[in-house]
Amino acid sequence: MTLPDAPSTHALPGPATRVTTEPILRLERVGKTYSTGAVTVEALRGVDLSVEAGEFVSISGPSGSGKSTLMHIIGCLDVPTTGTYRLTGEDVSRMREDQLAEIRNRRIGFVFQQFNLLPTMSAWRNVELPLVYGGVPRAERRQRALEALAKVGLADRVDHRPGELSGGQQQRVSVARALVTDPQLILADEPTGNLDSRSTEDVLNLFSDLHGQGRTIVLITHEADVAARARRATVMRDGVLSAAEGAVA
Amino acid sequence: MTWLETLWTAVDAIRTRRMRSALTMLGILIGIAAVMLTVGLGQGAQQSVAAQIDKLGSNLLIVSAGSTTSLSGLRGGRGSATTLTAADAAMLGDREVAPDIAAVAPSSQTSSTLVGNGTNWTTSVIGSTPSWLSVRARSIASGRFFTTQELNTSEPVVVLGAETASDIFGARGAVGQSVTIGSQPFTVIGVLATVGSTVGGDQDDLAIVPMTTYAASISPSSGTSVSSIYLEARSSARLSAAYQEADNALLTAHGVNATTADFSLNSQQSIVATATTTARTLTVLLAGIAAISLLVGGIGVMNIMLVSVTERIREIGLRKALGATPGAILRQFLTEASLLGVAGGLLGIALGVVGAMVLPSVLRQPVTVSTTAALAALVISLVIGIVAGVYPATRAARLSPIDALRSE
Ligand SMILES: Nc1ncnc2c1ncn2[C@@H]1O[C@H](COP(=O)(O)OP(=O)(O)OP(=O)(O)O)[C@@H](O)[C@H]1O
Ligand SMILES: [Mg+2]
């Protein structure tokens, strides 16, 4: 429902279930410029985006258009060069490194395109990792990690290392890791990019379920049918975000 | 993240890279063991030197002939000159001249072969007076020492060191047996109790005869000259007074001054001091070399931690993305480096202790390992670990999560 030229549209009625006034995330004219030596790349050129709690937003667009860059900014892994980013009303650019770490830990679950699992640790140890940094006691951590793995259908693979799992299973482990802290916001950067159709289906069903449970999801994807699952589809082109044609706003 | 969690994470990381961690620890291990053993050897040497010199006798002063720079600028070895005589000894024994000297034992010595019980045994033969026994703080194990009467009449009697006696006569009693020294037959009248000291020659392998007999039949050329005079002060408190008296009396009697003195006077303490200083210098030198190996071990830890940070850059990025604060990452790598240091240190201490038990039988040198030294070694290895870890850990903590995640 957010249009690049109309950042205030977040206040308009969205899906009928929602009554929140403050969007969970709100970007205003966010720009990101990378300078590598003499070359400067404008990866984002004034992105406006506002996502309400409980929304399922997809971002698609050609390679190199700036999707991952945007996702990293939303996930507090990177900071914008220009513009402001508010997470539940708070200006992220004003935060110290420690506060950002806490936000990443408690409020955001990130699913990476390349899984990013630690190869030396078993599935459940990978899943409990965010809880370690969240200061959750050991026994509770294991309990919650096992629950999260059960949710993604890997209850029988908890002691396997990533190398002993298929690509789809690894991606599900990383989804479990994103879920384990029970975050407000789940960000997924091409979570099905490396998967076959069967695994893609599994992972996408997972996201649909999570959305059904009321979680806010932002998902990057190349594939149109994946984008179609989202309640709201957006497209990134040359660092500018716009609503997808024919999408329900 | 609690310290315990950090510790377990570090232990995990070390266990995952077993071979590399072991090699890294080896550097610290060898360094710590080397420092401990060299310091232990040095301390052991110092203590044994001090203990052995103590056995020479308490409150002891030794006058040696020659030794100081002569007028011609030549330096004679201690006892090599013939500037001390029995008359000097008699003078020092005079209460009027030296009231703080309790006993005087002039002594000459030469190497000679003893023949007895079908055995030839070469040892040092000493000519002295009955006071030798008390001045040198020795005692008799069997038989008796010679008397003033026997001294005055140049009796051919001999007292043997414990080792000499058993080497010539074996388990059979030596007392009452006969030995030939030079061409003169002597009667063994006593055997000394063992002391186990080797300072100034093996103190258990010697033969001692009355001074007069020595001059008459063993070393006729020496005449009335003696190689050294042992003096016993009345008490340790009177030692420096006795030193002054002996020094003044001999300077006056020989008509020389301190710079032209034809004798040297040493207290037992000064001998201990010189010997332990030498041992200490050696210790410091060896420990210095060992410390360098420890430093190299520390550089090894730093190197491996730097490699580890570079190699695990994606892991660091991921941990940060999942909520690790820069402080948590810093602590993780510092803990890892300190653990490598401490583990290496502990193993080094273990090796040091084993070495300290094995080495003495190989080197015939005592090795002292003190708890203080072990604790110091542990602290040093911890400090090395931390110092070596600071730079790599800071680098890891400063990484931006996204740069770290992106790197391949
Ligand atoms: N660290 C960086 N330094 C310099 N340029 C960068 C950096 N990261 C991204 N870029 C550039 O920014 C632009 C956007 O990159 P981004 O990764 O956001 O694209 P994307 O839309 O995710 O592409 P894809 O679909 O292939 O993943 C690209 O032109 C890329 O080369
Ligand atoms: Mg991308």
Side-chain angles (χ1 to χ4, degrees):
Chain A
M1 55 155 238
T2 303
L3 298 169
D5 53 344
S8 59
T9 47
H10 74 273
L12 293 176
T17 51
R18 220 180 53 245
V19 280
T20 333
T21 48
E22 186 67 55
I24 193 163
L25 57 93
R26 179 169 172 183
L27 289 84
E28 286 173 343
R29 284 176 208 90
V30 162
K32 179 76 187 178
T33 312
Y34 293 111
S35 15
T36 325
V39 194
T40 57
V41 178
E42 244 188 295
L44 298 178
R45 311 162 188 255
V47 170
D48 289 308
L49 173 70
S50 144
V51 177
E52 305 291 333
E55 270 195 290
F56 189 165
V57 181
S58 77
I59 303 174
S60 42
S63 180
S65 57
K67 303 184 298 294
S68 293
T69 305
L70 176 63
M71 198 63 126
H72 293 144
I73 288 172
I74 295 174
C76 296
L77 293 170
D78 211 347
V79 284
T81 348
T82 56
T84 55
Y85 168 34
R86 281 175 213 282
L87 190 69
T88 54
E90 286 175 88
D91 189 348
V92 169
S93 64
R94 301 250 167 101
M95 291 185 185
R96 284 182 295 114
E97 188 55 37
D98 289 24
Q99 291 171 297
L100 290 176
E102 193 180 325
I103 287 177
R104 291 195 290 263
N105 184 246
R106 288 172 200 257
R107 291 161 65 177
I108 297 169
F110 216 112
V111 182
F112 300 93
Q113 188 170 357
Q114 292 92 357
F115 315 142
N116 279 331
L117 299 172
L118 294 182
T120 57
M121 290 186 179
S122 65
W124 82 266
R125 294 285 309 280
N126 265 289
V127 173
E128 73 154 1
L129 212 51
L131 299 177
V132 172
Y133 292 107
V136 178
R138 206 174 174 82
E140 187 188 334
R141 285 206 308 262
R142 183 172 161 85
Q143 187 57 36
R144 282 171 66 175
L146 295 185
E147 279 167 20
L149 281 165
K151 260 184 219 164
V152 299
L154 285 177
D156 55 342
R157 293 283 191 278
V158 294
D159 288 321
H160 286 56
R161 293 188 178 194
E164 299 157 357
L165 296 169
S166 75
Q169 288 168 332
Q170 289 184 51
Q171 192 60 294
R172 280 190 277 160
V173 172
S174 76
V175 173
R177 183 178 61 193
L179 295 180
V180 77
T181 52
D182 203 11
Q184 290 171 290
L185 187 58
I186 292 176
L187 306 176
D189 190 350
E190 298 190 42
T192 59
N194 293 332
L195 304 184
D196 63 14
S197 55
R198 179 63 213 288
S199 305
T200 301
E201 194 61 23
D202 285 350
V203 172
L204 289 178
N205 287 339
L206 254 167
F207 283 111
S208 295
D209 290 351
L210 290 169
H211 178 233
Q213 289 159 19
R215 268 177 243 255
T216 315
I217 298 171
V218 180
L219 180 138
I220 293 181
T221 181
H222 273 311
E223 292 140 272
D225 56 327
V226 176
R229 293 225 183 195
R231 295 292 304 272
R232 182 174 140 208
T234 62
V235 178
M236 185 72 119
R237 269 190 201 89
D238 277 338
V240 179
L241 192 70
S242 56
E245 276 166 48
V248 190
Chain B
M1 198 173 187
T2 65
W3 275 107
L4 201 65
E5 300 288 354
T6 312
L7 191 68
W8 281 121
T9 312
V11 169
D12 261 1
I14 288 171
R15 281 212 322 235
T16 315
R17 296 160 188 82
R18 243 163 263 204
M19 188 62 186
R20 184 196 292 177
S21 306
L23 288 174
T24 311
M25 281 182 215
L26 197 63
I28 298 282
L29 187 159
I30 291 171
I32 288 286
V35 169
M36 272 185 75
L37 283 179
T38 48
V39 171
L41 258 171
Q43 284 182 341
Q46 282 175 39
Q47 281 174 11
S48 76
V49 165
Q52 292 197 1
I53 291 171
D54 268 343
K55 288 178 186 161
L56 290 176
S58 48
N59 309 329
L60 185 67
L61 290 170
I62 303 162
V63 190
S64 311
S67 184
T68 42
T69 315
S70 70
L71 281 175
S72 61
L74 286 172
R75 213 165 225 277
R78 184 181 287 167
S80 65
T82 53
T83 52
L84 288 177
T85 63
D88 288 325
M91 174 190 69
L92 293 173
D94 187 341
R95 286 280 173 96
E96 303 279 304
V97 177
D100 290 304
I101 293 173
V104 177
S107 135
S108 289
Q109 107 180 44
T110 187
S111 182
S112 197
T113 303
L114 278 61
V115 183
N117 194 29
T119 316
N120 279 19
W121 187 256
T122 302
T123 186
S124 51
V125 176
I126 298 165
S128 191
T129 61
S131 53
W132 185 90
L133 199 62
S134 74
V135 172
R136 296 299 304 271
R138 299 294 296 265
S139 59
I140 288 289
S142 63
R144 59 178 182 82
F145 206 67
F146 55 81
T147 62
T148 311
Q149 179 62 40
E150 284 164 328
L151 175 72
N152 290 340
T153 55
S154 314
E155 289 302 320
V157 289
V158 64
V159 176
L160 299 179
E163 206 181 303
T164 321
S166 74
D167 276 318
I168 298 175
F169 296 104
R172 297 196 301 136
V175 178
Q177 304 282 341
S178 171
V179 287
T180 308
I181 308 174
S183 55
Q184 171 89 32
F186 282 78
T187 308
V188 179
I189 55 168
V191 176
L192 293 167
T194 180
V195 284
S197 171
T198 53
V199 173
D202 190 335
Q203 296 300 315
D204 289 323
D205 184 14
L206 51 81
I208 177 156
V209 300
M211 215 173 99
T212 46
T213 321
Y214 180 89
S217 57
I218 292 169
S219 178
S221 61
S222 62
T224 58
S225 73
V226 295
S227 48
S228 43
I229 303 172
Y230 296 99
L231 308 172
E232 187 186 357
R234 288 200 185 282
S235 68
S236 53
R238 307 307 304 160
L239 195 65
S240 59
Y243 183 99
Q244 284 306 324
E245 289 159 12
D247 201 35
N248 289 337
L250 285 169
L251 288 174
T252 314
H254 291 195
V256 290
N257 59 39
T259 47
T260 58
D262 53 0
F263 64 90
S264 69
L265 180 55
N266 290 291
S267 69
Q268 185 198 358
Q269 270 90 341
S270 73
I271 298 171
V272 174
T274 315
T276 52
T277 308
T278 315
R280 194 174 305 133
T281 312
L282 204 66
T283 309
V284 169
L285 195 74
L286 285 174
I289 295 168
I292 291 173
S293 81
L294 196 53
L295 183 72
V296 173
I299 294 171
V301 172
M302 183 144 166
N303 182 38
I304 224 67
M305 289 311 296
L306 277 174
V307 170
S308 188
V309 167
T310 314
E311 196 184 67
R312 285 149 74 191
I313 196 157
R314 280 181 72 87
E315 176 190 329
I316 296 164
L318 176 71
R319 286 178 183 275
K320 286 194 146 192
L322 296 181
T325 57
I329 297 292
L330 183 85
R331 282 198 297 275
Q332 183 192 330
F333 279 87
L334 264 188
T335 309
E336 214 174 302
S338 327
L339 264 186
L340 283 175
V342 169
L346 280 175
L347 292 173
I349 289 171
L351 183 68
V353 169
V354 170
M357 290 191 293
V358 175
L359 269 189
S361 59
V362 181
L363 293 180
R364 305 186 126 271
Q365 274 285 332
V367 181
T368 320
V369 171
S370 61
T371 0
T372 334
L375 280 179
L378 200 61
V379 171
I380 288 170
S381 52
L382 176 68
V383 169
I384 287 176
I386 292 175
V387 169
V390 166
Y391 176 62
T394 318
R395 264 182 57 164
R398 287 215 187 114
L399 282 173
S400 117
I402 200 62
D403 288 347
L405 267 178
R406 275 234 185 85
S407 76
E408 275 312 319

